[in-house]
Amino acid sequence: MKKVLSGIQPSGKLTLGNYIGALKNFVKLQHDHLCNFMVVDLHAITVPQDPAALREQSEEVAALFVAAGIDPSKANVYMQSHVHQHAQLGWILTTLTNMGELERMTQFKDKSAGKDSIGAGLFVYPSLMAADILVYNADLVPVGEDQKQHLELTRDLANRFNHRYGEYFTVPDPYIPEVGARIMSLDDASKKMSKSNPNPGSYISLLDAPADIRKKISRATTDSGSEVRFDPVNKPEVSNLITIYSQCSEIPVAEVERLYEGKMYGAFKKDLAEVVVGVIEPLQQRYREIRESGEIFDILAQGAERASEMAEQTLTDVQRMMGFIAKR
């Protein structure tokens, strides 16, 4: 089976956009791929984190992975920091990365803009991200459009290592679904729905109460006119809502348009809210069961153990090829 690697940072609340753009695809991929899904806590600390909040959010994200349908018997779910080979290979790949490549990273430019002091971790973490992928020789990486630049660096580093030390690393490909890969903000369809947005009305958290979800969708920005039509160029706001409806109901976009032909935005948004609540309520129930039982800690331990076995083989091979003395 082809190998898949992906992860989500434990910073802020996971949103409906994370569910549609990432978690749904994780669940789909686990059935016919060898999957590693991690909570990337090492990436999270590239900016300051409150220890108590990091601990809580890490457990929360891991539990949401499983609540969303990831089966720990089919896919490894673990904390990035529990598999030390990520950091070790990350350092090795940092030595193969040019500063110019890191300086061109759009996310670094965005996150460092206007700040007087920038941590070195924020600058070099794309090399660690490359290690996350290459330590398993992953074939596919589910990524959003905003992460494609990092994957290109990963591909470059894989090729650079192979050229310098001999063919070893698989050059990974992105996995980007055609529909639903990028869910936009409820208040501005030109921006991605983000858990870091200071306006809570712009996103739906996976742990929002049903009443709050209904309120947020009722207040979601819509385009001028009243036609429920999928047209991302001329009607970006309602097109975003149609995408959410389609992804949550598993009904094709064209069918959603047909269902609401001749109807107003109000009726559409009311139904959309119920579709979203219908998906999120069972997820929340499973989430509460996982947190209350404490089973997530066993899941994380088992996932890390299996992931470590694969990662250790890669790290050993890489060190041998580069000339390190093997540990006896």
Side-chain angles (χ1 to χ4, degrees), residues 309-321:
E309 290 178 5
M310 291 184 283
E312 182 60 28
Q313 184 61 60
T314 300
L315 183 63
T316 299
D317 290 344
V318 166
Q319 290 177 325
R320 173 183 52 79
M321 295 174 73

Side-chain angles (χ1 to χ4, degrees), residues 41-267:
D41 49 353
L42 294 177
H43 290 306
I45 62 170
T46 56
V47 296
Q49 299 287 339
D50 174 75
L54 178 63
R55 195 173 296 114
E56 166 62 23
Q57 290 168 358
S58 295
E59 185 179 346
E60 181 179 295
V61 172
L64 284 170
F65 275 11
V66 180
I70 296 175
D71 183 346
S73 69
K74 293 182 178 179
N76 296 327
V77 175
Y78 59 96
M79 302 302 302
Q80 181 189 25
S81 62
H82 292 180
V83 182
H84 65 82
Q85 293 87 352
H86 285 262
Q88 286 183 263
L89 185 60
W91 169 249
I92 289 172
L93 293 183
T94 298
T95 69
L96 296 177
T97 309
N98 300 322
M99 289 186 64
E101 292 173 313
L102 297 173
E103 289 169 345
R104 289 193 292 272
M105 289 291 153
T106 302
Q107 284 204 343
F108 172 73
K109 294 177 182 177
D110 292 345
K111 291 184 178 181
S112 62
K115 295 181 179 178
D116 296 328
S117 179
I118 308 300
L122 188 61
F123 184 66
V124 301
Y125 93 92
S127 298
L128 175 58
M129 183 179 291
D132 296 334
I133 298 164
L134 297 180
V135 79
Y136 303 109
N137 258 322
D139 300 282
L140 295 174
V141 183
V143 292
E145 291 290 337
D146 57 338
Q147 293 292 340
K148 288 181 70 176
Q149 190 182 30
H150 288 154
L151 184 58
E152 284 304 314
L153 175 63
T154 302
R155 291 169 58 87
D156 290 343
L157 291 175
N159 282 318
R160 191 169 301 158
F161 180 93
N162 291 346
H163 177 73
R164 189 173 300 180
Y165 299 106
E167 290 295 322
Y168 182 76
F169 283 127
T170 299
V171 179
D173 291 316
Y175 174 83
I176 304 175
E178 292 183 6
V179 178
R182 192 172 174 86
I183 299 299
M184 312 310 285
S185 171
L186 295 180
D187 63 346
D188 183 354
S190 68
K191 299 178 181 177
K192 182 180 177 181
M193 183 180 285
S194 171
K195 58 184 182 291
S196 61
N197 193 314
N199 174 19
S202 70
Y203 61 84
I204 293 171
S205 164
L206 292 182
L207 297 179
D208 276 344
D212 292 333
I213 293 172
R214 294 183 177 101
K215 184 182 298 183
K216 288 181 180 183
I217 291 178
S218 71
R219 296 176 177 178
T221 303
T222 48
D223 310 281
S224 58
S226 60
E227 186 181 6
V228 181
R229 175 169 53 87
F230 188 78
D231 183 350
V233 175
N234 298 307
K235 296 176 74 71
E237 308 289 353
V238 75
S239 296
N240 183 47
L241 298 180
I242 290 172
T243 297
I244 294 172
Y245 191 117
S246 174
Q247 288 290 307
C248 289
S249 66
E250 303 292 344
I251 295 175
V253 165
E255 179 65 13
V256 176
E257 289 182 299
R258 190 193 66 77
L259 284 173
Y260 292 93
E261 186 175 355
K263 296 182 180 179
M264 307 289 281
Y265 287 154

